Amino acid sequence: MQQELLKYQRQRENMVRDQIAVRGITDPNVLAAMGKVPRHLFVGEALMDQAYGDFPLPIGKEQTISQPYIVAEMTQALQLKKEDRVLEIGTGSGYQTAVLAEIAYRVYTVERIRLLLDKARKIFDTFHYHNIVTKYSDGTFGWADESPFDGIIVTAGAPQVPEILLNQLAPGGRMVIPVGKNYSQELLMLYKNDKGVHQTALGGCRFVKLVGEHGWKEE
Ligand code: SAH
């Protein structure tokens, strides 16, 4: 047991050094969070030994846990401070949620597949992530009651930036979202201030579809 823990801890340290720091992620909060969150517990037992590899993995229901570097890149782009409130669309495995919860004050996460949300919720409870609030819903509507947010992260590919989410961003807030075609998108960082919204492209990526009213229509 102890040996297992040490093994995964070593794999985690290697992941942070060889996949994340080496590719230019410098935010110390992001590096610390990813060095801490036990990623192997967010995948099924059969995939635990691959959890710290440089790739996404299946988590059931045709969804995936993002590659570690993508999680780091998106988290860093949010420029989180410890008092920030963050909205995440697409809980999936809950791994990205836990990384956010290590850094921010509170994380509101929305998932449209009940089985995945229930699994993630169990892990959050086990590890006493009291600052994670979950909702089973179509996240393309955001979470109006809890808005505005300092950060919004969408972890599924959208056909365009949903206006309704931008409206739930606080002045000075940041939003990270993959936008583009079915299975190939551009990762966008949007920054909102009193003058408007500024957009920066961070590079190509490949996410599963954001399915919902303000995303892709269900097939
Ligand atoms: N951050 C997650 C990524 C999971 S994949 C992780 O690293 O594990 C993307 C997730 O977005 C899937 O679980 C999918 O069901 C969910 N999703 C897609 N469209 C959604 C929507 N409209 N509302 C909420 N969740 C959605």
Side-chain angles (χ1 to χ4, degrees), residues 48-77:
M48 280 189 182
D49 280 335
Q50 295 180 60
Y52 296 96
D54 196 9
F55 36 75
L57 286 169
I59 54 170
K61 297 278 174 188
E62 294 170 31
Q63 307 303 319
T64 54
I65 177 172
S66 302
Q67 178 192 3
Y69 174 70
I70 291 289
V71 173
E73 185 183 31
M74 292 177 89
T75 310
Q76 175 166 275

Side-chain angles (χ1 to χ4, degrees), residues 63-66 90 92-93 111-113 116 138-139 155 209 211:
Q63 307 303 319
T64 54
I65 177 172
S66 302
S93 67
E111 172 57 56
R112 66 182 283 273
I113 300 178
L116 296 178
D138 173 2
T155 67
K209 276 191 201 172
V211 180

Side-chain angles (χ1 to χ4, degrees), residues 2-215:
Q2 191 61 25
Q3 223 149 22
E4 284 279 296
L5 279 177
L6 279 172
K7 178 181 82 176
Y8 288 125
Q9 191 184 323
R10 249 192 320 271
Q11 290 184 10
R12 199 153 54 237
E13 285 163 9
N14 293 343
M15 171 191 85
V16 170
R17 190 187 56 229
D18 303 338
Q19 300 172 35
I20 297 173
V22 79
R23 292 190 181 119
I25 301 296
T26 51
D27 183 333
N29 294 331
V30 176
L31 297 172
M34 295 195 60
K36 184 173 170 197
V37 178
R39 181 171 162 96
H40 62 282
L41 298 180
F42 292 84
V43 301
E45 199 138 6
L47 294 176
M48 280 189 182
D49 280 335
Q50 295 180 60
Y52 296 96
D54 196 9
F55 36 75
L57 286 169
I59 54 170
K61 297 278 174 188
E62 294 170 31
Q63 307 303 319
T64 54
I65 177 172
S66 302
Q67 178 192 3
Y69 174 70
I70 291 289
V71 173
E73 185 183 31
M74 292 177 89
T75 310
Q76 175 166 275
L78 285 174
Q79 298 166 26
L80 293 176
K81 297 178 291 298
K82 66 176 190 304
E83 62 272 20
D84 282 352
R85 296 165 67 256
V86 185
L87 172 68
E88 179 191 38
I89 313 299
T91 318
S93 67
Y95 174 68
Q96 169 80 71
T97 325
V99 170
L100 295 169
E102 290 288 341
I103 303 170
Y105 173 68
R106 187 155 288 152
V107 184
Y108 300 82
T109 185
V110 186
E111 172 57 56
R112 66 182 283 273
I113 300 178
R114 172 142 263 159
L115 179 83
L116 296 178
L117 187 63
D118 288 348
K119 274 199 214 173
R121 184 71 258 174
K122 276 199 191 107
I123 305 176
F124 302 153
D125 291 344
T126 306
F127 287 91
H128 307 291
Y129 278 109
H130 299 304
N131 62 338
I132 296 176
V133 193
T134 60
K135 181 155 94 165
Y136 169 61
S137 178
D138 173 2
T140 65
F141 288 100
W143 197 325
D145 291 351
E146 296 293 350
S147 70
F149 299 96
D150 306 295
I152 299 181
I153 175 170
V154 181
T155 67
Q160 71 279 314
V161 178
E163 194 69 29
I164 191 165
L165 293 184
L166 267 181
N167 293 339
Q168 293 180 22
L169 202 56
R174 291 80 53 201
M175 174 160 149
V176 186
I177 178 171
V179 174
K181 293 196 280 290
N182 255 4
Y183 287 102
S184 136
Q185 306 93 18
E186 186 84 41
L187 193 56
L188 301 182
M189 202 292 242
L190 298 106
Y191 173 75
K192 186 176 181 177
N193 64 15
D194 350 316
K195 294 201 194 74
V197 177
H198 301 255
Q199 182 177 309
T200 322
L202 301 177
C205 56
R206 195 184 174 98
F207 279 83
V208 296
K209 276 191 201 172
L210 180 74
V211 180
E213 183 64 28
H214 302 282

